[in-house]
Amino acid sequence: VISAFNFPVAVWAWNTCVALVCGDTVVWKPSERTPLTALACAALLDRAIGAEGAPADVHVLAVATREAAPVMVDDPRVAVVSATGSERMGAEVGPRVAARFGQAILELGGNNAAIVAPSADLDLAVRGIVFAAAGTAGQRCTTLRRVIAHESVADELVARIGAVYERLTVGDPRTDGVLVGPLVDG
């Protein structure tokens, strides 16, 4: 499992659960930006593994830079590679895993939409749309990128969303009053 910074636990957790239930081992290479989260999760899993008497090496944490990922991607002993990240990363990982006839699970950049029907509560729709689009500065695969609105509500919806965006303060997220800023450096 190669996980991204913006979902440091979720993707690892669901992949690891499925693998362990199936009797497979897991090697987890988290983002180099989330080592403490990975260490904490691995310690909890190690405690559970120990309590159940399972082999200690059924799960291995590999805290390393991104340059370590090709070792997992290219190794024929790794039957399945789950990698979460950018589309660029997926374009690199997918063909390499396929070239050795391995299986790849790629969770890459999304293109998520909100659908707003004529019966929608526009106040609730605006809150949901703005949070889904700006809540994590666009730095997650589940970020909202499109709105599909019925023509009877489209103009009012756009005006309301525009009014909210005019009030969003963009900048350094460590500064008081800033609501939107980068979550990571690059």
Side-chain angles (χ1 to χ4, degrees):
V1 177
I2 302 169
S3 60
F5 85 94
N6 58 355
F7 273 91
V9 176
V11 175
W12 162 78
W14 64 61
N15 280 285
T16 298
C17 288
V18 170
L20 294 178
V21 165
C22 291
D24 295 321
T25 58
V26 176
V27 177
W28 179 24
K29 191 259 170 260
S31 168
E32 59 271 20
R33 293 183 174 100
T34 58
L36 297 179
T37 301
L39 289 166
C41 290
L44 290 171
L45 181 58
D46 288 346
R47 192 164 69 195
I49 289 169
E52 293 303 314
D57 58 357
V58 73
H59 179 267
V60 176
L61 175 62
V63 175
T65 63
R66 69 184 304 266
E67 288 75 24
V71 174
M72 295 168 62
V73 169
D74 296 334
D75 193 323
R77 295 172 297 173
V78 179
V80 179
V81 174
S82 169
T84 303
S86 67
E87 293 172 10
R88 177 194 51 78
M89 181 273 303
E92 293 175 23
V93 169
R96 290 170 74 156
V97 175
R100 62 174 179 78
F101 297 104
Q103 298 293 316
I105 302 168
L106 301 175
E107 304 257 353
L108 309 175
N111 193 15
N112 303 299
I115 299 173
V116 182
S119 60
D121 175 335
L122 292 188
D123 290 333
L124 183 60
V126 168
R127 284 195 303 268
I129 289 165
V130 173
F131 176 77
T136 54
Q139 293 182 315
R140 62 179 180 185
C141 57
T142 57
T143 294
L144 183 73
R145 288 172 174 74
R146 301 175 293 141
V147 174
I148 302 165
H150 189 272
E151 62 186 2
S152 66
V153 296
D155 291 340
E156 183 177 353
L157 183 66
V158 168
R160 288 184 184 203
I161 292 170
V164 173
Y165 267 86
E166 286 176 4
R167 295 190 312 267
L168 288 179
T169 306
V170 178
D172 184 337
R174 298 169 294 184
T175 303
D176 287 341
V178 172
L179 297 174
V180 179
L183 301 177
V184 71
D185 58 3

